[in-house]
Amino acid sequence: MVERLPDALLREAVTAEHLWHAAGDLLAGVEHPYGPARDFEAVLGDGQRLPPIALYALAANRALGRDIAPGEIVPGPGNPAFDTITAAGMLLVLRGTARKWREPMTVSDRIWAGPSRARITHLILERGLGLRAAKIAQVTRMYGRATCSFCGLDPVAQHGPAGLAALQVHVVGGRDHFLVPLDALRCLCANCHAVAHESLF
């Protein structure tokens, strides 16, 4: 019989960055033994749906450096898999139900974007569900902290843990698909992000 992995280990090891890579693997058609979605589905920003246990198990494979056998992760609300997926900013919905709508742009975004398809696409990509959390997790893993890659602002040092709210993600270069590679992103403070947009269009 397969032993269930300890919740504490999974909560500490699996991050939004791992989930983002796992979503890319699933969308690319990687084979896995975890089966289709059962009661719930994970919804990406473009409406594509993924089986949450497969998503989380593939993320755990990457985090722990080994293949996770079916049964080592227990599905369902309140467990590490579902908690980590929702904490990473992705949506979980009952299988087959309509997607919960999440407005990808604010009123000021729409005014700024105007009729420009390129601006609208850029803004929607940057608001991909889970994208910001994945990039911040990647930067924190690599450098020990997340700062603005342009001006160097360390929002946590300046404002405490809530300071991370000041960091946004900016897509570098043109993209025409939802699942943006993390290396195509930069963490920017709100001021530098506004300047980046102004110089982009």
Side-chain angles (χ1 to χ4, degrees), residues 16 35 42 58 63 81 127 157 160 165 182 193 200:
L58 289 173
R127 284 155 179 74
L182 295 183
H193 196 192
L200 181 63

Side-chain angles (χ1 to χ4, degrees), residues 36-61:
R38 286 174 276 186
D39 297 326
F40 292 88
E41 295 173 307
V43 185
L44 299 182
D46 60 352
Q48 295 188 81
R49 295 174 178 234
L50 301 174
I53 291 306
L55 173 67
Y56 189 79
L58 289 173
N61 287 351

Side-chain angles (χ1 to χ4, degrees), residues 89-110:
M90 297 180 178
L91 292 180
L92 281 170
V93 298
L94 286 171
R95 184 179 175 210
T97 59
R99 175 192 171 194
K100 293 180 183 177
W101 174 249
R102 182 180 284 190
E103 175 60 61
M105 297 197 302
T106 65
V107 172
S108 60
D109 285 336
R110 289 195 296 272

Side-chain angles (χ1 to χ4, degrees), residues 96-186:
T97 59
R99 175 192 171 194
K100 293 180 183 177
W101 174 249
R102 182 180 284 190
E103 175 60 61
M105 297 197 302
T106 65
V107 172
S108 60
D109 285 336
R110 289 195 296 272
I111 293 170
W112 176 82
S116 168
R117 182 182 296 270
R119 287 182 177 180
I120 291 170
T121 299
H122 188 91
L123 288 168
I124 290 174
L125 285 174
E126 288 184 349
R127 284 155 179 74
L129 301 179
L131 180 61
R132 177 180 173 274
K135 183 60 181 180
I136 288 176
Q138 181 194 50
V139 170
T140 302
R141 173 183 57 79
M142 293 171 66
Y143 304 110
R145 59 192 182 132
T147 63
C148 175
S149 65
F150 185 74
C151 73
L153 171 73
D154 184 339
V156 173
Q158 190 165 357
H159 303 290
L164 273 182
L167 282 184
Q168 302 171 1
V169 293
H170 178 64
V171 178
V172 179
R175 300 280 162 187
D176 60 358
H177 55 87
F178 167 72
L179 204 75
V180 179
L182 295 183
D183 290 342
L185 295 169
R186 300 292 178 270

